[in-house]
Amino acid sequence: MYVFLERDCEPMIFYILQRIVRAIFTLFIFVTLLFFIIQAVPGETIIINPPRNLVEKQPAELPAESTPTAKATPTQPNPGSSENCYVEPLPKWMPEEDKEAYVRDECAGQILEGSTSGEQTLEESVPVEPQVNAQQAASAESVWSKPSAFQQYQYWMQSLLRGDLGVSTIRRRPVVSVLIELAPRTLLLFLPGALIGFFLGLRIGRSISWKRSGIGEFGSTVSGVVLSTAFPPFLAFVMAYYFAYRLSWLPRENIIDPDFWLSVSVTPNRIISWLLATMLIVVLSITGIWYATQRVRKRRWLFRIAGVVLILAITFGLWITSGYGQQAGDILKHWLLPLITFILLSFGGTMLLMRASMSEVLQEPHIFTAKAKGLPDNQVRDRHAARLALIPVISRFVLELPLLIIGGFAVERIFFWNGLGQFLFEAANKNDFPLILGIVTVVAIVILASHLFVDILIQFLDPRQRRVSQAAKTG
Amino acid sequence: MENRPKRTRSRKRKYPSEALAEQYKRDRKRRVFWRYTLTLLLRNPLFVIGVIVILVMIFAALSHPLLIDTIWDPHIYDPRTGFDPDMSHHPSKPSRAHPLGTDALGRDVVSQVFYAARTSLGVGLLAGFTALLVSMTIGLLAAYYGGWIDNILMVVAETFLLMPPVLITLIVGLIIPMTWWSMGLIFGVLSGLGSLAITCKHQASTIRIKPYVAASRLTGAGSLHIILKHMVPGMLSVMMVVIMFVASQAMMIEALISFYQGSEMRLSWGTMIYFIQSTFFLSPYSEQWLAILAPALAITFLSVAFYLLGRAMDQVLNQQLQER
């Protein structure tokens, strides 16, 4: 008989390294697959242009105005015909007069957008894409030939390695800058929503399966099932109807109310980033206080409440004295309704799973032993049962993360919260493939990272899952 | 009276041959197993509720053409083009002729809900079936043959794990107008290639190392025989549970796509909710809570029904497998 010992486990670091290498390999395969999918898109073929810095090395073969990436050539003011603006490469078969008309319309539209849009003043100023003479873009197509598939693959990989995802056709900016602009808003909604929903589900599911009261169990099960299978736009609509339309407590849509933002020079994105940082600091320090007062025997709750109040007071004081308190409050007011809707959507599934897995764990012998030893109830519940019951819940949570992300996107769309989800729908409606690909890549990386994180976390949570080294297996 | 011959019929049934006798006994055992499982399932309240809801949905979907042919006048009750000239205003409150009222274009809401049931059911069932087929193929091949086939298939599965079917189907559905069956196929293939294939492979590899598989191979059974007769039945229970979740997700995504597309290409519950929501605040008559609740509750109920079926099968079949 072989006795299993702790030293027979492989060192954790080997497993983590192996897992990371595998994740990178998977990402490589995913990117390659994405390339083939782009090639297979029916209708208008998407042609991947060489990365911008590559063009500067190569132009010797081609005449100056026939460079494949028209956007890379520097601006030359041409007062005569059309203005300076960015025009996508047009297909060869397009008649000349159509091309000219298209270029004229595009330029007129862009000039209108550029001069009147209020977004430029509100949003971060980003480096503007080098612009090109419209006529050059039109004439470039007549000489320009399509690169071969292998060359396109090469360009695709090179540009991805440089962090270049192309140019969004609806925003007319590099996709990466659009994503950097949108990500904090989505994070502000998604991170607190998913975390609060997860912990709420854990707590409720744990206490339900521990107490096993009839009516409470039934009610929470039914509400959990209904909430987790509710149609997200409908739930959002009901919330908006009561809290925004009937009671008019909270604003219905948008991120900000422009009235508060006329006199300040700071952008909403910056405030959102600061808010995210504040939340992170507050949560971390409260957790720190919780663990620091673990050893205090007498009046522990007093220390804890005092610490939390102190932290909150400092936070509010800093925000109010910073001069942007009103703006932050404006954002938070718009944020509350989508957040509550998102929490309602997300917590039901976790609650049901936690309940089921906790009831299974409670029947195992080690719980009986722990109770027989005379341990206090909450210690049996938290240390012996909940820790083991957590594992399937976490792995399931990560597997269902895409569904949660889609739910968040739907909520964003309903409340006009201008994040990734809102723009995903807009990009899909207007066939903006670079932006769609960017968002898909971001979601893929998030999923990959969460799988990686959970695989490593489970190794720490469950000693039984630790990988046994080769010696232990054979011996 | 006394000398009536006693009944001497032997309890033993007569079989044509020994081999056939074995065959019959095995068949009978299997039949009893499935009958017993079915009895357990029918005693499970979750399963019964789920089956009833799905049967009601199927009944609604099938009865729509019959109702149009018999009771309902197609000019008034057609789900796309119907219009009721007798009502004073549209959208109208519930009335005797229209139990849930009419929408802003004067179309009957009940008729639309019934008609749209076939889209959601079709997408859900087709996606579930496709996912089952694809994931079983990949998982069984990977688990049975192992080696480099296993490696390649698992790399493919891990790659498709990064392409969540919910996201990809949503995007493709928003870009290209799709019919319900193409949507179900795409969703099923994507989810079957991703996490389901990994689940399936793990399940199959636990069965592969069982002694009866080795015994079967020793008696000279071919690989196809082992896969079909020994591995597939053992996996089916676990897979059915996951398939139910796939079906409910596919149905939900179809509703989301038709909600956000706002097109009338397929009339679906999502389209109905979108249309009624967009005309909700137009007039005092148009606050149609009943009309908007019907499709929303239909989506929730069908989703819950798939979920309950999955849970019930999980409970019953797992217990059965442990007993066997």
Side-chain angles (χ1 to χ4, degrees):
Chain A
M1 188 186 138
Y2 187 81
V3 181
F4 186 81
L5 294 174
E6 186 76 14
R7 66 180 151 79
D8 290 324
C9 291
E10 274 179 10
M12 189 76 79
I13 189 76
F14 284 168
Y15 176 72
I16 294 175
L17 281 180
Q18 192 187 343
R19 197 67 190 71
I20 288 175
V21 168
R22 201 154 141 213
I24 292 172
F25 180 65
T26 313
L27 196 64
F28 170 74
I29 302 278
F30 169 75
V31 167
T32 310
L33 197 67
L34 216 55
F35 173 77
F36 285 113
I37 290 176
I38 298 166
Q39 295 293 307
V41 167
E44 192 182 338
T45 352
I46 303 160
I47 291 153
I48 293 142
N49 289 322
R52 262 162 271 157
N53 56 344
L54 215 70
V55 179
E56 288 155 17
K57 292 175 196 163
Q58 285 187 346
E61 302 161 16
L62 297 164
E65 70 267 88
S66 64
T67 319
T69 44
K71 58 188 183 232
T73 49
T75 311
Q76 285 160 5
N78 188 353
S81 54
S82 54
E83 307 295 325
N84 299 324
C85 55
Y86 168 69
V87 177
E88 306 147 54
L90 297 174
K92 263 186 221 174
W93 42 263
M94 209 167 172
E96 279 304 316
E97 55 266 30
D98 283 6
K99 266 185 197 176
E100 281 167 19
Y102 178 79
V103 168
R104 210 163 46 236
D105 290 355
E106 279 290 291
C107 291
Q110 280 181 37
I111 290 159
L112 274 180
E113 272 178 21
S115 60
T116 56
S117 78
E119 280 179 340
Q120 286 297 325
T121 57
L122 287 179
E123 276 151 17
E124 300 270 358
S125 61
V126 288
V128 181
E129 189 67 11
Q131 289 172 346
V132 76
N133 190 313
Q135 276 188 332
Q136 277 184 4
S139 63
E141 296 313 306
S142 49
V143 197
W144 181 77
S145 63
K146 185 182 165 184
S148 71
F150 180 72
Q151 239 171 344
Q152 285 194 48
Y153 180 66
Q154 208 181 338
Y155 294 156
W156 167 249
M157 280 308 192
Q158 278 170 349
S159 54
L160 277 185
L161 279 180
R162 279 166 226 284
D164 179 11
L165 287 166
V167 178
S168 158
T169 54
I170 52 173
R171 297 302 292 267
R172 300 184 184 285
R173 287 203 272 126
V175 169
V176 176
S177 86
V178 177
L179 290 181
I180 288 174
E181 183 198 324
L182 299 178
R185 306 173 186 177
T186 299
L187 276 184
L188 185 68
L189 190 60
F190 190 81
L191 219 54
L195 287 181
I196 293 175
F198 185 69
F199 281 107
L200 209 64
L202 280 191
R203 295 303 287 253
I204 298 179
R206 198 182 69 183
S207 56
I208 287 171
S209 65
W210 185 253
K211 280 180 189 155
R212 306 207 67 97
S213 67
I215 188 88
E217 196 170 0
F218 180 76
S220 56
T221 310
V222 168
S223 63
V225 168
V226 168
L227 280 178
S228 61
T229 55
F231 190 49
F234 178 70
L235 186 68
F237 176 75
V238 173
M239 296 292 288
Y241 181 83
Y242 277 108
F243 292 103
Y245 180 72
R246 263 292 148 85
L247 304 172
S248 57
W249 284 353
L250 297 167
R252 159 90 171 79
E253 49 200 37
N254 233 326
I255 286 190
I256 53 163
D257 192 359
D259 292 348
F260 292 112
W261 296 82
L262 293 176
S263 57
V264 288
S265 58
V266 74
T267 59
N269 258 13
R270 184 153 297 169
I271 298 269
I272 285 176
S273 315
W274 288 348
L275 275 174
L276 271 173
T278 316
M279 283 177 194
L280 192 69
I281 291 169
V282 165
V283 168
L284 282 183
S285 47
I286 287 181
T287 320
I289 286 180
W290 224 253
Y291 279 102
T293 54
Q294 201 81 290
R295 295 296 172 93
V296 180
R297 289 282 169 194
K298 280 182 180 176
R299 304 229 173 89
R300 191 193 298 165
W301 55 272
L302 199 69
F303 283 98
R304 285 183 174 174
I305 289 177
V308 170
V309 167
L310 190 70
I311 288 170
L312 290 183
I314 291 174
T315 317
F316 276 109
L318 281 179
W319 268 105
I320 288 167
T321 49
S322 71
Y324 299 117
Q326 206 179 15
Q327 283 75 18
D330 186 36
I331 286 180
L332 288 183
K333 204 170 77 183
H334 285 82
W335 169 71
L336 214 52
L337 199 50
L339 181 80
I340 294 171
T341 314
F342 186 55
I343 290 174
L344 281 184
L345 274 178
S346 66
F347 95 103
T350 314
M351 190 186 78
L352 292 176
L353 262 174
M354 186 66 190
R355 204 194 107 222
S357 112
M358 185 93 174
S359 333
E360 262 177 33
V361 170
L362 282 183
Q363 286 167 2
E364 285 195 9
H366 73 269
I367 303 295
F368 189 71
T369 315
K371 277 183 188 168
K373 279 194 299 189
L375 288 177
D377 261 10
N378 59 356
Q379 212 167 353
V380 177
R381 189 188 65 188
D382 295 349
R383 293 219 183 137
H384 293 249
R387 192 177 161 190
L388 210 58
L390 203 63
I391 294 161
V393 178
I394 290 182
S395 49
R396 188 64 179 275
F397 180 77
V398 166
L399 268 187
E400 286 185 353
L401 198 64
L403 205 63
L404 200 63
I405 292 176
I406 292 295
F409 284 179
V411 170
E412 274 185 14
R413 178 71 171 173
I414 291 288
F415 290 108
F416 292 95
W417 183 268
N418 277 340
L420 287 177
Q422 165 86 347
F423 269 81
L424 177 72
F425 285 111
E426 202 179 320
N429 279 337
K430 293 182 181 167
N431 286 6
D432 183 355
F433 288 106
L435 189 51
I436 292 174
L437 286 180
I439 294 178
V440 168
T441 315
V442 166
V443 171
I445 289 172
V446 166
I447 292 171
L448 190 70
S450 59
H451 278 270
L452 190 64
F453 175 71
V454 161
D455 277 3
I456 294 169
L457 185 73
I458 282 179
Q459 301 283 316
F460 282 103
L461 275 181
D462 188 3
R464 287 177 303 184
Q465 292 241 349
R466 267 177 216 161
R467 287 156 58 90
V468 182
S469 68
Q470 213 59 40
K473 268 184 211 162
T474 51
Chain B
M1 270 292 185
E2 281 110 36
N3 53 9
R4 196 175 69 177
K6 269 189 174 178
R7 287 180 68 183
T8 52
R9 209 176 124 210
S10 73
R11 286 258 161 204
K12 215 170 179 182
R13 279 175 68 181
K14 280 179 182 163
Y15 294 107
S17 74
E18 281 299 309
L20 271 180
E22 283 299 306
Q23 178 87 35
Y24 279 143
K25 278 176 191 165
R26 223 181 306 132
D27 279 3
R28 185 153 179 281
K29 206 172 164 189
R30 194 177 295 156
R31 272 204 302 277
V32 165
F33 171 75
W34 284 114
R35 199 183 299 157
Y36 181 54
T37 310
L38 195 66
T39 320
L40 277 185
L41 276 177
L42 285 178
R43 276 187 200 157
N44 193 320
L46 301 183
F47 184 81
V48 174
I49 296 174
V51 165
I52 286 177
V53 171
I54 289 181
L55 282 184
V56 166
M57 297 287 175
I58 291 177
F59 178 74
L62 291 182
S63 68
H64 184 265
L66 284 178
L67 284 171
I68 285 282
D69 277 352
T70 53
I71 312 171
W72 288 348
D73 182 6
H75 295 295
I76 298 175
Y77 286 97
D78 189 90
R80 287 161 191 275
T81 56
F83 181 80
D84 192 354
D86 296 339
M87 308 300 287
S88 59
H89 48 75
H90 289 293
S92 67
K93 293 273 180 210
S95 60
R96 183 181 286 267
H98 307 287
L100 292 177
T102 55
D103 69 359
L105 290 180
R107 303 177 291 188
D108 184 44
V109 174
V110 177
S111 167
Q112 289 186 51
V113 171
F114 276 28
Y115 182 80
R118 53 178 101 164
T119 313
S120 290
L121 273 171
V123 169
L125 296 179
L126 183 64
F129 186 70
T130 319
L132 184 69
L133 221 58
V134 172
S135 63
M136 288 281 258
T137 313
I138 290 189
L140 283 171
L141 284 181
Y144 187 78
Y145 289 105
W148 59 273
I149 295 182
D150 180 20
N151 284 341
I152 288 178
L153 287 179
M154 281 305 107
V155 165
V156 169
E158 282 190 4
T159 312
F160 273 93
L161 204 62
L162 301 188
M163 290 191 184
V166 282
L167 184 67
I168 303 295
T169 317
L170 186 71
I171 291 171
V172 175
L174 286 175
I175 293 173
I176 312 165
M178 284 196 293
T179 50
W180 64 266
W181 55 267
S182 54
M183 199 173 285
L185 275 182
I186 287 185
F187 194 94
V189 168
L190 277 176
S191 53
L193 283 175
S195 59
L196 270 191
I198 297 176
T199 318
C200 195
K201 186 221 150 186
H202 283 308
Q203 187 64 23
S205 47
T206 56
I207 294 176
R208 201 186 110 83
I209 54 173
K210 291 219 165 134
Y212 59 78
V213 175
S216 177
R217 192 178 299 131
L218 277 180
T219 54
S223 44
L224 195 67
H225 179 267
I226 291 177
I227 288 179
L228 288 183
K229 294 278 163 145
H230 294 301
M231 294 172 78
V232 168
M235 294 164 59
L236 216 52
S237 65
V238 176
M239 294 316 288
M240 285 312 279
V241 178
V242 198
I243 289 311
M244 288 298 156
F245 295 119
V246 168
S248 92
Q249 281 182 12
M251 194 210 70
M252 189 68 90
I253 287 302
E254 190 275 330
L256 267 182
I257 291 172
S258 25
F259 181 88
Y260 286 115
Q261 218 171 24
S263 80
E264 294 278 310
M265 178 170 171
R266 349 167 260 290
L267 186 64
S268 144
W269 290 329
T271 328
M272 289 181 62
I273 296 177
Y274 171 76
F275 188 74
I276 300 171
Q277 267 190 22
S278 57
T279 59
F280 201 80
F281 298 108
L282 287 187
S283 77
Y285 299 113
S286 61
E287 283 207 4
Q288 305 168 283
W289 278 112
L290 268 182
I292 200 173
L293 261 174
L297 280 187
I299 292 173
T300 304
F301 279 163
L302 193 52
S303 196
V304 168
F306 281 129
Y307 173 80
L308 290 182
L309 280 192
R311 279 301 303 278
M313 284 183 190
D314 189 21
Q315 287 174 3
V316 171
L317 291 173
N318 274 345
Q319 186 193 351
Q320 282 283 84
L321 281 182
Q322 277 168 11
E323 279 172 10
R324 195 144 80 148

